[in-house]
C-alpha cells in the first residue's frame, strides 16, 4: 500500500499569503493519479485537484497542483478567508486507495 | 445536480450490525464507481469499499468478511451492510461518487456523512 505523508501538519498563515502544502508518497504514484481535497469542520471533503494538476469544476484558479512520482504540492496563491481548512491528498493509481493524514491551514 | 444523502447511522453495541444507505439523485449509481469512505473522530480519511459498474466489489483489509457493499438500481441507492462491528469502526461514513465507470478513480461528489458509533 502506498503511504502518503503530508507536511506540515499545520500551516499558520494570514489572508493574502501564499500556502504550499506537500504530499510525499512512499512509492511512485503511477500516471500522477493524485487528488487533493478540502474539508471544513462538519462538512464533507470537496474535490479541488485531480490528475495532480487539473482543477475540478468550479475551483478558483488560486488553487494549483503540481508534482509527479513521489512528490506533489498543492499551492494556494493568495489565501482567502474561506480557504482556512484541512487539506488531504489521495492517490488512486494503486490499490488500495490511500489518503494522506492532512494539513490544517489556520489563520495566523 | 448530483446529490448523495446518507442515512442509517447510529449507536450500536460491539458485535452488532447496521446498514447504511446512500440515496443518489442527478445520476445513476450503476454507471459510476461508488465508494464508502470513513473518518474516525478527529482523524483523517480512510477508503472502505467500492462497487463498480459491473458490480465487482473491493474492500479495505480491516473490513473484509464483515462489511458488504451493494446497490439497488431501481431505488438508485448504495448500501453498506456492516456486521460484527468493532469500536474501531466508529466514524463518520461518507458515500462518494467517482466521475467514471472505469479506470483509476477519485471522488467528485460526496454525501454529508452519517455517524456510526460502536460502544457498549
Amino acid at each position: 500500500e502506498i503511504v502518503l505523508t503530508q507536511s506540515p501538519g499545520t500551516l499558520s498563515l494570514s489572508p493574502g499569503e501564499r500556502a504550499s502544502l506537500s504530499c510525499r508518497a512512499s512509492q511512485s504514484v503511477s500516471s500522477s493519479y493524485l487528488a487533493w481535497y478540502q474539508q471544513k469542520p462538519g462538512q464533507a471533503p470537496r474535490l479541488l485537484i485531480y490528475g495532480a494538476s487539473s482543477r475540478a469544476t468550479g475551483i478558483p484558479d488560486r488553487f494549483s497542483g503540481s508534482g509527479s512520482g513521489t512528490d506533489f504540492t498543492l499551492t494556494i496563491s493568495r489565501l482567502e478567508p474561506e480557504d482556512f481548512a484541512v487539506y488531504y491528498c489521495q492517490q488512486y493509481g494503486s490499490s488500495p486507495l490511500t489518503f494522506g493524514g492532512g494539513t490544517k491551514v489556520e489563520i495566523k | 445536480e448530483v446529490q448523495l444523502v446518507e442515512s442509517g447511522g447510529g449507536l450500536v453495541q460491539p458485535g452488532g450490525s447496521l446498514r447504511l444507505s446512500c440515496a443518489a439523485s442527478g445520476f445513476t449509481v450503476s454507471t459510476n464507481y461508488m465508494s464508502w469512505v470513513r473518518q474516525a473522530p478527529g482523524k483523517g480519511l480512510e477508503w472502505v469499499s467500492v462497487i463498480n459498474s459491473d458490480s465487482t466489489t473491493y474492500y479495505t483489509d480491516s473490513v473484509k468478511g464483515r462489511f458488504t457493499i451493494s446497490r439497488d438500481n431501481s431505488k438508485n441507492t448504495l448500501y453498506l451492510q456492516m456486521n460484527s462491528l468493532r469500536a474501531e469502526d466508529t466514524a463518520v461514513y461518507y458515500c462518494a461518487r467517482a466521475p467514471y465507470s472505469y479506470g483509476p478513480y477519485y471522488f467528485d461528489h460526496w454525501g454529508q456523512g452519517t455517524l456510526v458509533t460502536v460502544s457498549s
Side-chain angles (χ1 to χ4, degrees), chain A:
Chain A
E1 143 175 345
I2 295 180
V3 176
L4 299 178
T5 302
Q6 291 189 242
S7 62
T10 302
L11 199 51
S12 298
L13 295 168
S14 300
E17 290 193 294
R18 180 185 185 92
S20 290
L21 287 65
S22 172
C23 177
R24 182 160 292 177
S26 60
Q27 53 190 284
S28 184
V29 176
S30 62
S31 303
S32 296
Y33 288 141
L34 189 109
W36 289 93
Y37 301 88
Q38 176 193 67
Q39 187 178 36
K40 297 179 181 179
Q43 296 185 17
R46 173 195 181 198
L47 176 67
L48 299 175
I49 300 287
Y50 62 94
S53 60
S54 297
R55 266 188 305 276
T57 303
I59 301 303
D61 61 6
R62 64 180 181 273
F63 291 92
S64 64
S66 63
S68 64
T70 60
D71 288 298
F72 298 87
T73 300
L74 174 69
T75 301
I76 310 170
S77 58
R78 293 173 311 280
L79 282 164
E80 297 288 339
E82 62 267 27
D83 299 336
F84 292 92
V86 179
Y87 293 83
Y88 294 96
C89 58
Q90 176 223 332
Q91 68 80 23
Y92 53 101
S94 299
S95 183
L97 303 185
T98 51
F99 292 88
T103 290
K104 181 180 182 180
V105 179
E106 65 176 22
I107 300 176
K108 185 174 181 181

Side-chain angles (χ1 to χ4, degrees), chain B residues 14-15 20-21 57 59 66 79 87 101 113:
Chain B
L20 306 183
S21 299
T57 60
Y59 302 91
R66 300 189 299 124
Y79 300 102
S101 60

